[in-house]
Amino acid sequence: MGILSAIGKRLPKLHAPPEWGIESVPAERRILVFKDFVVLWGDLGIGLLVMLAGTFLVPGLGLGDALVAIIIGTALGCLLLALIGVIGGATGRPTMVLLRPLLGTRGSYLPTALNVLQLLGWTIFEFIVMGVAANTICRELFGFSSYALWTAVFALAVILMGLGGPVGFIRVWLEKFAVWIALATGLWLAYHLIATYGLGALFAKAGDGSLPFWQGVDLVIALPISWLPLVADYNRFARRTSGAFWGTALGFFVTSVWFLAMGAFLMLGAGVKQEPKDFAAEVALIAGWGSLLILLADETHNAWADLYSTAVSLQNVFPKAKQRWLIIGLGAACLAAALFMDITKYQAFLYLFGSFFIPLFGVLAADYFVVRRRERSSAAGAGAERTGETESGGTFARSAARSAESSAAPSAARSAAWRAKAVAAWLVGVVIYHVTDPATLASFVPSWAKIVPQNLTLIGGSIPSFVLPFLIYVALGLFSHRSQEV
């Protein structure tokens, strides 16, 4: 026992990080700063599937128009992503819990269920893609094939990352090792693509017109928007909301533009296939197995975020559930599904789930930054507003941060069961999405695309389904406020 005790004292001790469910993260635990968010969100903008998304822009658009669509769409999406992150940073609460004051306690269970389903789907999807690609590498190089083994290896890595908690994962793993390796691989891949195919030759290829420009922008917006249900799960650890805002927007913008552009280069230069498994194999042939393997390792970070946020979201419904056991159980279930299901054909369902969240967060932004701020008449709120008006050199991020901090969310315990006004605005937004972007619903109801007038689909679904519910909820809030005054 003496020898074992001596050895045990020298081994590193593994301590489960503290976890917070529906309660706010204590102020002393909110320690992440601008650099941390640049690294986190910059890393989440890197990935094999991000490049795959870029392939869908061409040849419908020429490369020049595709790059402009990438910049505009990513900028708009990152703005919305960072704004919702501000709410999480100001309140210290995860995303699904932020919906309690908006929809009511029970009302928040519906988006929670949708979010859990889509996150589980994406986790399984990531496991399958990583397992298939790694197994392809192993088979080609060593003649050994075991999809189950490689999928289990990646799944285990993702589960261990989830158990480490977001703060340790960001500051220990990402900032010291992972993000720098991924960036170096991205630089090599970009150089290789440009040297192989030549920018001049790629720009000379005209688009075939099959993709309208603003629908291309809409496609790009979907990438940062897909992270909206997760953003506050991480940005609640922010020391300052302004740092979280700019770190999130800048980090995700730079790497997403970069990797989406490389996807467009691959499509125009090599004519790669767009089925995820085939795409991974072709990238390996073009860029080398080493590059693909490193990108697959970085793909585990996206799966980590999906799995961790699944556990956090479930705590909105089951606040006493232990996060660590949720991560282990859900991770094992996703591994089992990845081994026995072909979830890659499930993408249409995942995009359908995503269509519910764009209008929902338009309503949340309206409630938090406009309606609830207007309704509050506290001296603190008025003082913050006066400071924002008189301070020279103020920025949009500072104004958004003050707006969030001056209208802190009420306690989850005091939320009503349902809030019909917000639910109605949200559902109207869902309808708007499927009218302005009929392709998603048409995957299930083919006749839907024929019903919708073509002139309503020119700018896609993301922008109108965010903006119109925002305006509807603001109008309902102002009407309600005036009715109370009368």
Side-chain angles (χ1 to χ4, degrees):
M1 289 297 294
I3 296 176
L4 293 177
S5 298
I7 294 175
K9 290 180 180 179
R10 294 182 178 274
L11 291 174
K13 301 295 188 297
L14 297 177
H15 299 285
E19 60 181 69
W20 295 273
I22 66 172
E23 299 303 324
S24 298
V25 175
E28 64 273 13
R29 296 284 187 173
R30 302 185 197 180
I31 60 174
L32 299 183
V33 296
F34 170 79
K35 178 187 73 172
D36 300 316
F37 290 106
V38 169
V39 170
L40 170 64
W41 290 103
D43 182 82
L44 293 178
I46 295 172
L48 193 65
L49 297 181
V50 178
M51 288 198 296
L52 177 60
T55 67
F56 291 100
L57 294 169
V58 293
L61 297 174
L63 182 58
D65 287 341
L67 294 178
V68 174
I70 288 172
I71 292 171
I72 294 175
T74 306
L76 291 173
C78 286
L79 172 63
L80 302 181
L81 184 70
L83 276 177
I84 302 303
V86 164
I87 307 175
T91 63
R93 294 187 180 128
T95 314
M96 292 300 108
V97 178
L98 294 180
L99 299 174
R100 287 186 166 209
L102 177 69
L103 302 175
T105 302
R106 294 180 183 176
S108 71
Y109 293 168
L110 176 56
T112 297
L114 292 171
N115 193 39
V116 167
L117 286 174
Q118 74 152 350
L119 290 178
L120 288 175
W122 280 119
T123 303
I124 298 168
F125 183 86
E126 296 277 4
F127 284 179
I128 290 176
V129 170
M130 291 187 291
V132 168
N135 188 55
T136 302
I137 295 173
C138 185
R139 184 176 60 248
E140 292 293 328
L141 294 182
F142 307 110
F144 170 74
S145 177
S146 178
Y147 164 73
L149 173 63
W150 284 111
T151 306
V153 167
F154 282 111
L156 179 60
V158 170
I159 291 171
L160 292 175
M161 289 175 185
L163 294 176
V167 174
F169 177 78
I170 295 167
R171 290 197 158 179
V172 176
W173 174 241
L174 286 186
E175 292 184 1
K176 293 183 178 180
F177 304 102
V179 73
W180 305 110
I181 297 172
L183 289 174
T185 303
L187 287 171
W188 152 248
L189 185 56
Y191 167 78
H192 181 74
L193 292 177
I194 293 172
T196 302
Y197 302 111
L199 282 180
L202 297 180
F203 273 105
K205 295 184 178 182
D208 61 19
S210 61
L211 180 69
F213 176 79
W214 284 105
Q215 287 188 15
V217 171
D218 188 60
L219 188 154
V220 175
I221 290 175
L223 187 62
I225 287 292
S226 69
W227 291 99
L228 280 179
L230 291 73
V231 61
D233 298 353
Y234 310 98
N235 288 32
R236 59 181 169 150
F237 294 96
R239 182 179 299 170
R240 299 175 66 90
T241 52
S242 57
F245 178 93
W246 288 113
T248 300
L250 179 63
F252 202 88
F253 177 82
V254 170
T255 55
S256 291
V257 168
W258 177 2
F259 276 75
L260 284 166
M262 286 199 294
F265 293 167
L266 277 168
M267 188 65 187
L268 287 176
V272 292
K273 296 179 181 178
Q274 294 174 319
E275 198 282 327
K277 297 176 185 178
D278 295 335
F279 178 76
E282 293 191 10
V283 170
L285 292 173
I286 294 168
W289 298 112
S291 296
L292 177 60
L293 189 59
I294 292 173
L295 287 176
L296 285 175
D298 192 74
E299 205 72 45
T300 60
H301 305 163
N302 293 325
W304 158 78
D306 292 332
L307 182 60
Y308 173 78
S309 285
T310 304
V312 172
S313 296
L314 277 173
Q315 288 182 308
N316 181 47
V317 182
F318 306 104
K320 294 184 179 180
K322 290 296 183 182
Q323 201 175 91
R324 66 183 70 93
W325 294 115
L326 288 173
I327 289 171
I328 293 172
L330 293 169
C334 289
L335 171 60
L339 293 177
F340 298 106
M341 297 172 59
D342 185 4
I343 201 72
T344 56
K345 296 179 180 179
Y346 192 53
Q347 290 179 79
F349 288 96
L350 299 176
Y351 288 122
L352 181 65
F353 289 144
S355 72
F356 285 89
F357 290 107
I358 297 173
L360 175 60
F361 288 105
V363 176
L364 176 63
D367 177 65
Y368 207 88
F369 292 110
V370 181
V371 174
R372 206 179 324 152
R373 184 187 183 200
R374 182 183 180 90
E375 290 176 351
R376 290 180 63 88
S377 57
S378 65
E385 188 175 11
R386 285 194 298 272
T387 302
E389 291 172 353
T390 57
E391 184 181 74
S392 61
T395 65
F396 175 73
R398 231 179 270 138
S399 175
R402 288 198 185 101
S403 174
E405 289 161 349
S406 68
S407 54
S411 169
R414 295 200 303 269
S415 295
W418 293 88
R419 296 189 182 275
K421 181 173 62 177
V423 173
W426 173 31
L427 295 180
V428 169
V430 173
V431 174
I432 292 171
Y433 181 94
H434 289 292
V435 168
T436 54
D437 181 14
T440 299
L441 190 57
S443 299
F444 307 94
V445 185
S447 60
W448 178 248
K450 300 177 182 179
I451 297 173
V452 177
Q454 288 297 311
N455 59 349
L456 295 178
T457 67
L458 296 178
I459 63 171
S462 297
I463 296 174
S465 67
F466 186 95
V467 172
L468 293 178
F470 181 100
L471 296 176
I472 290 170
Y473 190 78
V474 168
L476 291 173
L478 294 177
F479 176 78
S480 176
H481 181 70
R482 289 176 180 173
S483 298
Q484 291 174 4
E485 288 180 345
V486 175

